[in-house]
Amino acid sequence: MIKSCVTIALVPQIKSGPWIFWEDLEAGMAKASKLGFDAIELFTASADAIEVPRLKDLLDQYKLELAAVGTGAGKVIHGLTLTDPDSEVRKKAISFISDMIDFGAAFGAPAIIGSMQGNVLPGNDREETMSWLAEGLNQLGKHAESKGVTLIYEPLNRYETNLLNTIEAGSNFMDSLETKSVKLLADLFHMNIEEGNLEESILNWGKSIGHVHFADSNRRPMGFGHTSMKEIASALKTIGYAGYASAEAFPYPNPDAAAEQTIEEFRKWFK
Ligand code: LER
Ligand code: MN
């Protein structure tokens, strides 16, 4: 069964990003719980921004799971990516993500590599850059496996990365890795820009999908854009997807209304 999830971001530097709840962890969790969400997805500044016992207590109290932890702060705050031409920066990126894997693993949750994948930078060789990406993912995938979790890699749209933009490209790249512990994030907003047909991509490469970001075509909460969820929901059920549909969407028109809209749409398509 597909499970519902809502994002909570606690990183001031990404305040204008596509996250439903902001700043106050407990207030966001209380609202998520009241609306009946199964889980939260967290974006924190670092792996030690929240103490594990405190988060465990809060998850128990509000009867929520931790679905995943984002690593974007590594890029936004520290400028780290897995494909930086400077090997010292790549090493620090691996270390930052590795710590996030440990943090998530304390809750059985995977870490997500989104913006920390980076780009082929001007003047750099694509093949060499992709080999850095493979190196990082192999190392981190093995680390995740040793902690009993997967690692999630997210194909992003062309305005955010020039590495891998589609589910097909992501799936083929994952197949080429030594590690089998890296799964793809199907972010419906990015897919709306890059895929020829979202439903077909899910059906064709569904084996690689480990997490879903649930946002409409304009990155507003589902139902506020022109994505046709009927076929997408049907494709996710056909592939037997049993992970989270996590609302990584703009808090439009405000966080509370965005969360309500999301859970209504979730129930419409997945219950
Ligand atoms: C992260 O999940 C994502 O989708 C990125 O667009 C954020 O920059
Ligand atoms: Mn996303």
Side-chain angles (χ1 to χ4, degrees), residues 253-270:
N254 57 63
D256 289 6
E260 275 169 41
Q261 169 71 14
T262 291
I263 198 73
E264 268 174 36
E265 284 284 314
F266 177 85
R267 291 189 175 125
K268 181 165 155 193
W269 299 115
F270 299 120

Side-chain angles (χ1 to χ4, degrees), residues 18-19 43 112 114-115 154 156 160 185 187 190 213 219 248:
W19 292 280
F43 292 84
I112 297 170
S115 59
E154 181 172 22
L156 302 173
E160 295 192 32
L185 202 170
D187 181 318
H190 294 302
H213 275 162
R219 222 171 202 185
E248 186 191 64

Side-chain angles (χ1 to χ4, degrees), residues 103-156:
F103 172 52
F107 304 89
I112 297 170
I113 298 177
S115 59
M116 281 199 78
Q117 66 192 270
N119 272 280
V120 183
L121 297 175
N124 282 271
D125 180 62
R126 181 168 181 89
E127 219 171 292
E128 188 176 30
T129 303
M130 295 313 284
S131 78
W132 294 330
L133 179 65
E135 228 171 83
L137 291 178
N138 273 324
Q139 199 173 321
L140 291 164
K142 283 173 200 165
H143 181 64
E145 190 179 3
S146 78
K147 296 280 169 171
V149 287
T150 55
L151 176 66
I152 304 288
Y153 170 84
E154 181 172 22
L156 302 173

Side-chain angles (χ1 to χ4, degrees), residues 231-244:
E231 298 81 2
I232 295 169
S234 150
L236 286 169
K237 288 176 197 164
T238 302
I239 63 164
Y241 177 69
Y244 292 95

